[in-house]
Amino acid sequence: MASEHQARPLPPNHSPSQPNMDYFSWGLRLQVISLGFAFYVGIFLLSHLLSAALSQTYRSLLAKEKVFWNLAATRAVFGIQSTVAGLRALTEDSSVSRDRVRGQEDWSWFNILTATGFFIFENVALHASSVVFRSFDLPLATHHFFALSGFAGAVVWDSLGHFLPMVTLLLEMSTPFTCISWMLLKAGWAHSLFWRANQWVMIHMFHCRMVLTYYMWWVTWSHWEEINTHVALPQRLLFFTGLALLTVLINPVWTHKKTMQLLNPVDWNFGNKSAPLNGSTGHQSEGSVKVHPS
């Protein structure tokens, strides 16, 4: 009778660090990546259609600014998905959090694959815009290269754990607030209480991004031997190079710019043009687009 009350063993067919579904099938992987790509293309087009129908501000923008507007909305939606995934990895007791080097689950695979689809969309949008508008932003292209390469690498080297990729997605937590900030600035509401409150929250999110990068360094240091053993060298080089750039360059620069924007509302994506007054719909500068990726 005593044996009947003992804890039941885990199912024999599944390791606690492995997902239940067959995410190791390339057919399924490509389907989910394509789904992610198509979904965010749809968000981009839906943003254009709704904004063209409902927003006088949007209709007054130059073509390059309309592209930026719709990209900002698309990134905001991806930022919500990424924030949920990142917080789940940090707070939920799962294989992903218990084994930070090799742990995987169904939901983490879904987010890895759809994020790969999103970053493919981002790169296509960036380079298509560069051709159409005859401009090229090297820092932004470099950022997109590391984002896509990192998540594509997690698909190719499929023994890699998903804890660090999920925490990396949490860096996108600033994108909804960046979207709101820029749209309201273009609509002439940069001096409103709501815009300032959103800007404060956004600046706080950028500070949280910096803390998160320090945490990621601590996790990698704490699991250094396991990472060297189980993570492929190309993936390690991509991850640590990208994390170093985020830590010492990208996050500090963006945090500084967003803080200065609170004090002096300007559109630094388009030639540092001052924010219009409420209700103003004048055309903006045709300077080269420097699309902010966060």
Side-chain angles (χ1 to χ4, degrees), residues 246-287:
L246 277 171
T247 305
V248 303
L249 182 62
I250 296 176
N251 277 342
V253 169
W254 287 348
T255 304
H256 171 74
K257 283 191 172 184
K258 292 302 182 182
T259 304
M260 296 306 298
Q261 191 179 47
L262 173 65
L263 304 175
N264 180 30
V266 295
D267 181 8
W268 50 269
N269 295 288
F270 291 88
N272 290 325
K273 189 174 181 63
S274 298
L277 298 175
N278 291 11
S280 174
T281 59
H283 288 295
Q284 306 298 316
S285 168
E286 295 196 19

Side-chain angles (χ1 to χ4, degrees), residues 52-66:
L54 303 175
S55 174
Q56 177 62 33
T57 298
Y58 180 81
R59 292 193 293 269
S60 72
L61 297 177
L62 298 170
K64 289 183 288 188
E65 293 175 309
K66 289 179 179 179

Side-chain angles (χ1 to χ4, degrees), residues 177 180-181 184 189-201 262:
F177 305 99
I180 294 171
S181 171
L184 290 181
W189 292 95
H191 299 284
S192 66
L193 178 62
F194 180 78
W195 185 86
R196 292 183 180 277
N198 178 78
Q199 199 78 2
W200 273 110
V201 175
L262 173 65

Side-chain angles (χ1 to χ4, degrees), residues 115-183:
T116 302
F118 170 78
F119 289 124
I120 292 173
F121 161 75
E122 278 271 36
N123 278 271
V124 170
L126 170 67
H127 295 297
S129 297
S130 298
V131 172
V132 172
F133 300 120
R134 298 180 181 180
S135 62
F136 182 71
D137 189 339
L138 180 59
L140 183 61
T142 302
H143 170 81
H144 285 352
F145 167 78
F146 278 103
L148 177 57
S149 298
F151 278 85
V155 178
V156 173
W157 289 288
D158 51 24
S159 62
L160 172 70
H162 291 168
F163 180 78
L164 287 173
M166 293 300 99
V167 175
T168 301
L169 285 180
L170 187 54
L171 293 170
E172 299 292 327
M173 60 185 151
S174 60
T175 53
F177 305 99
T178 301
C179 172
I180 294 171
S181 171
W182 191 78
M183 288 184 176

Side-chain angles (χ1 to χ4, degrees), residues 2 43 79 89 95 154 183 187:
I43 294 296
S95 296
M183 288 184 176

